[in-house]
Amino acid sequence: MPRSYRRKEGQASFTASTQSRIQLSRNYHNQYLLCKLTVSHTNTSAAFYSENFANLISSIQIVGNGNKTIKHVDVKKLIWNSLYNSGKAMKNSVASADGAQTSTIYFTIDFSRRGMVRPQDTIENTALYNTFDMLIDWASAANVGTGIVVSSATLSVSSNQLVNYTRNPGERISHYVETQLNEEITSSTSEYQITLPVNKVYQSLLIAATVDKIRSNSVINGVKLKSGTTIFAEWTAEDLRADNIDRRKIATDADADGLLLLDLVGRGRISDALDTRGQFNTLELVLDVTKQTGTNIVTVYSDVFDIEPTVEVSKG
């Protein structure tokens, strides 16, 4: 019988504009990583950008064998995963008062996809890798906001794994892959087209819009996902956000400001996902956008199932 095993994985310390590496354990089937970012800082009339200290990390990568990238997203996306999975962010404490302060934020990096009928469909058997690394790309402290001086920060990582877990006979290896792309909106248009890669199995698209690093509902008016003349989803932004808040049980409406989730596996089954492998030559995300005063950034986060042709034979 499988049993849960929790362990500390390692720590990384903040140095602006550098990359840190944590070598992750390679013993069992990894369900998720629990991450805690602890920041020592001094405030003087602090004004935080959206997601505050999450902006201290520009991206996190999870890479197997040096070339198998399973995750490559910013920490904001990982925080929003909790929002859409449980209706609220994890336990966070952000100190905004003047003076010397300590703040903490938590987030998870999921391998077993929460919300699925079988979350373990995408569990990571780390024993299959020769190396399994977390790469942390640190940003500048200026990305956090104004009036904040960061003196130090530490990212602490733990894992939740399953011991003695085996996949079903004949079950192929699947990975829960997260990536992102950024676009700057420089003019208003009802047909702002973003080309997405095909030959992938799409779980969902999370779209975030910011104006001068603050999330905004005013940039995106509508969303369409299509391939040529085939339309998979078409919503007004207002309707989609309302649907997200209801179905994802988001406790505070404002937490969803500037965010839109296109869920492509509503029943929680891999077979429901948008499979573009060999079926579609193109995939386009078309946005109706209104340019606001300031810098308008739209970030598209793609969650896909990476289903390998091989069957897992090594036990974790």
Side-chain angles (χ1 to χ4, degrees):
M1 287 288 292
R3 60 178 176 83
S4 181
Y5 174 58
R6 295 170 173 83
R7 60 167 290 168
K8 293 181 180 179
E9 293 287 343
Q11 292 184 328
S13 297
F14 167 70
T15 300
S17 303
T18 65
Q19 185 180 82
S20 299
R21 176 191 181 200
I22 297 177
Q23 298 183 60
L24 302 171
S25 58
R26 297 178 292 106
N27 304 106
Y28 308 116
H29 285 80
N30 201 324
Q31 299 187 97
Y32 63 86
L33 301 171
L34 176 65
C35 303
K36 177 184 179 182
L37 180 63
T38 304
V39 185
S40 296
H41 55 102
T42 301
N43 297 339
T44 305
S45 300
F48 291 96
Y49 297 132
S50 293
E51 279 61 60
N52 47 75
F53 290 107
N55 296 298
L56 207 55
I57 299 174
S58 60
S59 74
I60 285 182
Q61 302 176 58
I62 303 296
V63 182
N65 288 342
N67 58 11
K68 176 71 174 180
T69 301
I70 301 164
K71 311 286 184 184
H72 192 174
V73 290
D74 55 36
V75 171
K76 293 178 287 189
K77 167 60 160 61
L78 302 172
I79 289 174
W80 294 331
N81 283 350
S82 292
L83 175 67
Y84 284 96
N85 284 326
S86 62
K88 60 181 182 178
M90 295 184 67
K91 178 184 176 183
N92 295 324
S93 175
V94 177
S96 58
D98 281 358
Q101 305 287 350
T102 299
S103 297
T104 57
I105 61 172
Y106 283 89
F107 56 92
T108 63
I109 301 172
D110 292 326
F111 301 114
S112 294
R113 179 67 155 87
R114 286 189 277 178
M116 300 297 291
V117 172
R118 293 185 66 241
Q120 283 72 30
D121 280 342
T122 55
I123 196 169
E124 279 295 332
N125 185 0
T126 60
L128 298 179
Y129 298 112
N130 294 318
T131 61
F132 194 56
D133 297 322
M134 174 188 284
L135 304 178
I136 304 104
D137 295 309
W138 296 102
S140 166
N143 289 354
V144 174
T146 60
I148 305 125
V149 176
V150 174
S151 54
S152 66
T154 302
L155 181 67
S156 303
V157 181
S158 302
S159 62
N160 186 306
Q161 306 182 48
L162 287 182
V163 180
N164 297 324
Y165 175 81
T166 55
R167 295 185 187 270
N168 294 331
E171 182 181 351
R172 290 191 292 174
I173 299 172
S174 298
H175 309 275
Y176 169 23
V177 176
E178 297 177 87
T179 58
Q180 72 181 72
L181 60 88
N182 299 319
E183 298 273 337
E184 183 175 358
I185 306 300
T186 57
S187 62
S188 300
T189 175
S190 61
E191 293 281 327
Y192 188 91
Q193 182 166 299
I194 300 171
T195 301
L196 301 174
V198 291
N199 294 317
K200 295 181 180 295
V201 182
Y202 282 86
Q203 308 174 38
S204 64
L205 298 172
L206 178 63
I207 308 160
T210 61
V211 177
D212 292 338
K213 301 183 181 180
I214 302 295
R215 280 193 277 132
S216 172
N217 292 336
S218 301
V219 178
I220 301 175
N221 309 305
V223 178
K224 182 192 299 182
L225 183 64
K226 69 182 187 70
S227 176
T229 58
T230 302
I231 298 175
F232 305 110
E234 186 171 12
W235 294 78
T236 67
E238 183 180 18
D239 288 351
L240 181 54
R241 188 172 294 108
D243 186 71
N244 291 163
I245 290 170
D246 174 55
R247 293 187 177 275
R248 297 299 178 138
K249 307 296 187 247
I250 295 176
T252 304
D253 289 3
D255 287 346
D257 282 354
L259 301 176
L260 296 166
L261 176 68
L262 279 176
D263 184 3
L264 302 172
V265 287
R267 297 188 308 163
R269 300 179 186 276
I270 289 181
S271 58
D272 292 345
L274 177 57
D275 189 350
T276 65
R277 298 173 300 175
Q279 300 186 54
F280 302 100
N281 294 322
T282 64
L283 185 64
E284 302 92 28
L285 179 66
V286 182
L287 305 177
D288 178 349
V289 296
T290 301
K291 169 70 168 66
Q292 305 297 309
T293 301
T295 302
N296 294 207
I297 301 295
V298 168
T299 304
V300 180
Y301 301 92
S302 298
D303 287 10
V304 304
F305 294 115
D306 178 12
I307 305 171
E308 296 190 11
T310 55
V311 174
E312 182 176 303
V313 295
S314 179
K315 294 176 63 176

